[in-house]
Amino acid sequence: MQSLLSSSVLANPCTTGSPLFPPATAKLAAAASVPVAAAARSGAIAAVSRRSASGGRCVVAAASSSSSSPAVTTAEAGEVPATMKAWAYDEYGDGSVLKLNEAAAVPDIADDQVLVRVAAAALNPVDAKRRAGKFKATDSPLPTVPGYDVAGVVVKAGRKVKGLKEGDEVYGNISEKALEGPKQSGSLAEYTAVEEKLLALKPKSLGFAQAAGLPLAVETAHEGLERAGFSAGKSILILGGAGGVGSLAIQLAKHVYGASKVAATASTPKLELLKSLGADVAIDYTKENFEDLPDKYDVVLDAVGQGEKAVKVVKEGGSVVVLTGAVVPPGFRFVVTSDGSVLEKLNPYLESGKVKPLVDPKGPFAFSQVVEAFSYLETGRATGKVVISPIP
């Protein structure tokens, strides 16, 4: 727990007071970096990179060489600005507690971390639950910049980082344990600090917005299938097949694990989507009760909180993976562990298109619409992932 808590935001040498809500004096101290940061956000310069004379990619950021961290090995480390735009809250509550801070401190990095210039982020139900204070006992200190999912470009690397370098396009879930000391400075900001082991190179076939919608959901689907002992030839029922985790669980079960039969539930308008993802059986929950149907399954993955019904359709000796709601034996619940190696393992399936990210058609939401994006997420009606892009 202590190690996870210690990975939250460190005070920037150019700021005083709270690192996420620096006082006016801190804004003045960082003023020299603002023009360059603004230029990097303008339409004349790419959102996260510029072209060098040789045509390669390198990162645009504000100059402040005096604030360079000794852990940083890149020659351009000092070009990152002291402050950034970030959505944050300093108290728990509904969406109204979210405020746009235009002078939040850019997080420092540890030796095993990289600093990522965020191009896109995505929301998950855990973001809303965390903001509401459901995990106060194990949360990192307030104020909080929310966001687990990220896609962007590496702009700094700690000296123990071996596999990533400045300019790499990456994606990942930035908090190793979602509920145990998640990062204080998350992905709904221009920059975020992440351990190298939690990231993977972004598949070249995907844009940043698509990649940002993958990490936490695909890691959850993958870990759930692994913990259930799912393998080729087995059958599975996925409750909530059109959601972020469910849509990916269908694809993993069918196209990665080689399921003999994939069934999934959704509302009437989304049944064809389930089939396009790989479901052999699409169950309309508005017209049928899945627990009354004759079929039984080796594994049931419950992403909607119907554990008591789910156990009625699992075969003897089978498993019920419960992501939300009550757990009834033989059901079990787990907290996903972020792991960049899982993303690396799945990258070939993403590159080939066998597994596709599903971004809700109402998105991507603009960075200025984060409150609206949270509100939409909390309706429970999103198809796939709610994505924020571009940032800022």
Side-chain angles (χ1 to χ4, degrees):
M1 176 70 72
Q2 184 61 39
S3 63
L4 286 169
L5 290 173
S6 66
S7 67
S8 56
V9 175
L10 301 175
N12 190 291
C14 296
T15 64
T16 59
S18 166
L20 298 182
F21 292 92
T25 53
K27 295 180 183 179
L28 293 174
S33 69
V34 172
V36 180
R41 292 192 295 267
S42 73
I45 302 177
V48 292
S49 63
R50 62 174 166 79
R51 292 286 178 182
S52 68
S54 61
R57 291 177 70 87
C58 55
V59 174
V60 168
S64 179
S65 58
S66 63
S67 64
S68 176
S69 164
V72 172
T73 58
T74 169
E76 294 195 358
E79 295 188 1
V80 175
T83 61
M84 63 181 181
K85 290 183 178 180
W87 284 92
Y89 52 88
D90 59 2
E91 62 179 323
Y92 294 114
D94 61 19
S96 66
V97 301
L98 287 158
K99 307 296 180 186
L100 179 59
N101 181 6
E102 301 208 18
V106 173
D108 291 333
I109 59 171
D111 286 351
D112 63 343
Q113 292 181 324
V114 296
L115 186 67
V116 176
R117 173 67 167 87
V118 182
L123 300 183
N124 295 277
V126 68
D127 287 297
K129 293 176 182 178
R130 182 186 180 194
R131 187 209 65 218
K134 302 291 186 182
F135 316 122
K136 287 181 183 179
T138 57
D139 200 0
S140 54
L142 293 171
T144 296
V145 173
Y148 292 82
D149 288 330
V150 70
V153 175
V154 174
V155 296
K156 282 185 181 181
R159 59 170 157 251
K160 291 183 180 179
V161 172
K162 303 300 181 184
L164 295 175
K165 63 184 184 303
E166 182 186 350
D168 282 344
E169 297 181 348
V170 296
Y171 74 124
N173 169 7
I174 69 169
S175 290
E176 187 168 11
K177 288 291 186 180
L179 309 184
E180 298 176 16
K183 285 190 170 58
Q184 186 182 13
S185 188
S187 59
L188 290 177
E190 292 181 272
Y191 296 90
T192 193
V194 195
E195 289 80 3
E196 178 186 22
K197 67 181 182 179
L198 306 184
L199 297 172
L201 292 174
K202 179 182 71 65
K204 293 181 174 61
S205 60
L206 300 182
F208 286 113
Q210 292 175 301
L214 284 165
L216 193 150
V218 80
E219 288 171 345
T220 300
H222 177 269
E223 187 169 343
L225 293 172
E226 288 289 304
R227 287 175 176 264
F230 198 73
S231 59
K234 290 188 176 182
S235 60
I236 186 171
L237 169 63
I238 297 163
L239 305 181
V245 174
S247 61
L248 289 162
I250 291 172
Q251 297 180 77
L252 294 185
K254 192 69 174 181
H255 305 306
V256 177
Y257 286 84
S260 61
K261 182 179 182 179
V262 177
T265 64
S267 59
T268 309
K270 299 177 181 179
L271 297 181
E272 289 304 314
L273 170 65
L274 300 187
K275 294 176 182 177
S276 72
L277 295 173
D280 302 296
V281 179
I283 302 170
D284 187 342
Y285 70 76
T286 69
K287 298 178 179 178
E288 294 183 292
N289 296 318
F290 69 86
E291 70 273 21
D292 295 333
L293 300 176
D295 293 333
K296 305 294 182 184
Y297 302 89
D298 295 300
V299 173
V300 180
L301 189 149
D302 176 18
V304 295
Q306 295 185 322
E308 293 183 359
K309 296 178 180 179
V311 297
K312 297 178 180 179
V313 296
V314 68
K315 292 179 181 178
E316 185 175 353
S319 298
V320 178
V321 184
V322 180
L323 302 183
T324 186
V327 179
V328 178
F332 67 89
R333 190 198 309 278
F334 70 96
V335 177
V336 65
T337 300
S338 177
D339 186 351
S341 68
V342 170
L343 301 178
E344 292 172 359
K345 169 186 170 182
L346 296 175
N347 270 356
Y349 298 95
L350 294 162
E351 288 280 14
S352 68
K354 288 184 177 180
V355 176
K356 300 180 178 68
L358 183 61
V359 176
D360 186 273
K362 289 187 180 293
F365 288 80
F367 191 62
S368 61
Q369 296 177 304
V370 164
V371 176
E372 292 91 330
F374 264 97
S375 296
Y376 180 58
L377 172 77
E378 292 175 83
T379 66
R381 300 193 184 101
T383 300
K385 292 300 295 292
V386 176
V387 172
I388 313 296
S389 180
I391 293 179

